[in-house]
């Protein structure tokens, strides 16, 4: 039997290195399965450019990547690695909706933190995991800076918050009333309203599917890919 040479040429190696540095993404290949690894780190950057000293995930980079992954015949599944403090609500929710709408197998893994709008991003994959030491902050919607003090402003806050709650509950097994209770808690955070949940608690309440690390996430994704291929896509 002739052995296939899968060694990449220098140009391919350099291209993958540049993609990892620029976009925080990489492709993993094993046993005929190709997995795209997407990292969502730091602060989710939306319509406003953040300071260069701030680690950011730029939505204009991530959104086309997700579309390309879904359409690519060379990519079998998506692994999302999360360590984010949150950020722009609309940008974060847009990314989460795109991933939730994918047909291809997707697995998310929360490392460090999946805070604020990071919660919808953590639950948007078909299977979600979290390491025991990771934390997730659940709090009401807020906007910094100058706002117009009118009833319509507060109505907008409530409507966008309802959309986030609906998305999280739809894409996880968390009880809506429990989620709202944690969101509105006044006893957990020193200078804010909300709650912090850690790995095992997030799993116990149904927010995240299971505890696990990188090998667990990859194993689950490989299994999902095999099942997806057997079903004929």
């Amino acid at each position: 039997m002739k052995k296939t040479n899968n060694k990449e040429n220098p140009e391919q190696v350099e291209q993958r290195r540049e993609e990892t540095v620029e976009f925080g993404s990489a492709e993993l290949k094993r046993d005929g399965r190709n997995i795209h690894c997407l990292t969502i780190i730091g602060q989710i950057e939306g319509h406003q450019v953040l300071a260069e000293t701030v680690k950011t995930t730029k939505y204009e980079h991530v959104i086309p990547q997700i579309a390309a992954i879904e359409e690519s015949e060379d990519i079998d599944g998506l692994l999302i690695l999360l360590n984010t403090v949150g950020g722009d609500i609309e940008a974060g929710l847009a990314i989460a909706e795109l991933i939730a709408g994918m047909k291809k197998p997707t697995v998310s893994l929360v490392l460090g933190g999946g805070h604020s709008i990071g919660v919808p991003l953590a639950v948007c994959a078909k299977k979600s995991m979290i390491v025991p030491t990771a934390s997730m902050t659940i709090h009401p919607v807020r906007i910094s800076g100058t706002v117009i003090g009118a009833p319509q402003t507060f109505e907008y806050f409530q409507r966008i918050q309802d959309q986030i709650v609906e998305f999280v509950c739809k894409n996880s097994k968390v009880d809506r009333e429990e989620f709202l209770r944690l969101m509105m808690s006044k006893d957990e955070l020193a200078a804010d309203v909300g709650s912090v949940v850690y790995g095992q608690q997030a799993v116990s309440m149904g927010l995240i599917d299971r505890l696990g690390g990188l090998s667990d996430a990859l194993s689950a994704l490989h299994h999902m890919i095999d099942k997806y291929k057997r079903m004929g896509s």
Side-chain angles (χ1 to χ4, degrees):
M1 181 180 293
K2 186 178 180 180
K3 187 175 180 181
T4 303
N5 185 8
N6 293 323
K7 188 175 181 180
E8 295 179 317
N9 60 48
E11 290 79 9
Q12 290 174 315
V13 173
E14 179 62 19
Q15 181 181 357
R16 291 183 64 184
R17 187 194 71 80
E18 290 178 358
E19 288 177 353
T20 302
V21 173
E22 180 68 20
F23 303 116
S25 63
E27 286 191 20
L28 315 174
K29 299 181 180 181
R30 193 186 80 183
D31 299 332
R33 309 182 197 93
N34 294 338
I35 293 173
H36 189 96
C37 177
L38 174 68
T39 58
I40 298 179
I41 61 170
Q43 193 163 340
I44 310 300
E45 186 179 88
H47 304 303
Q48 294 184 339
V49 177
L50 298 176
E52 293 184 359
T53 55
V54 179
K55 289 284 186 181
T56 62
T57 295
K58 301 178 183 295
Y59 82 122
E60 70 269 26
H61 290 172
V62 175
I63 286 176
Q65 278 191 73
I66 295 169
I69 292 164
E70 177 73 346
E71 282 296 290
S72 175
E73 296 180 353
D74 299 323
I75 298 175
D76 301 308
L78 175 64
L79 174 66
I80 306 112
L81 302 179
L82 284 152
N83 187 5
T84 176
V85 296
D88 187 280
I89 296 171
E90 290 183 353
L93 199 54
I95 295 170
E97 288 279 13
L98 273 180
I99 296 172
M102 294 178 70
K103 289 184 178 179
K104 286 185 177 178
T106 54
V107 172
S108 64
L109 176 61
V110 181
L111 302 158
H115 305 291
S116 190
I117 199 63
V119 175
L121 287 164
V123 305
C124 67
K126 290 178 173 59
K127 184 176 288 293
S128 59
M129 295 188 185
I130 187 171
V131 297
T133 56
S135 58
M136 303 177 74
T137 303
I138 304 167
H139 61 66
V141 168
R142 82 285 304 276
I143 296 177
S144 61
T146 302
V147 297
I148 299 174
Q152 291 88 340
T153 302
F154 297 102
E155 182 181 352
Y156 167 76
F157 283 8
Q158 187 61 55
R159 290 177 67 181
I160 192 68
Q161 182 168 294
D162 290 343
Q163 290 175 354
I164 292 171
V165 172
E166 288 299 325
F167 181 89
V168 171
C169 293
K170 179 181 177 182
N171 289 277
S172 70
K173 301 180 183 68
V174 69
D175 178 73
R176 179 186 175 88
E177 296 304 318
E178 174 67 5
F179 188 74
L180 287 171
R181 184 189 68 79
L182 291 170
M183 179 181 283
M184 299 300 178
S185 175
K186 300 177 181 178
D187 303 322
E188 182 78 19
L189 303 179
D192 202 352
V193 175
S195 303
V196 179
V197 297
Y198 294 88
Q200 183 58 60
Q201 184 183 358
V203 174
S204 298
M205 64 185 287
L207 184 60
I208 300 295
D209 291 329
R210 55 168 289 196
L211 286 177
L214 179 58
S215 62
D216 300 306
L218 286 169
S219 178
L221 189 52
H222 282 293
H223 178 75
M224 291 168 67
I225 290 170
D226 289 343
K227 184 177 179 180
Y228 182 73
K229 288 183 175 181
R230 287 196 301 269
M231 293 175 64
S233 301

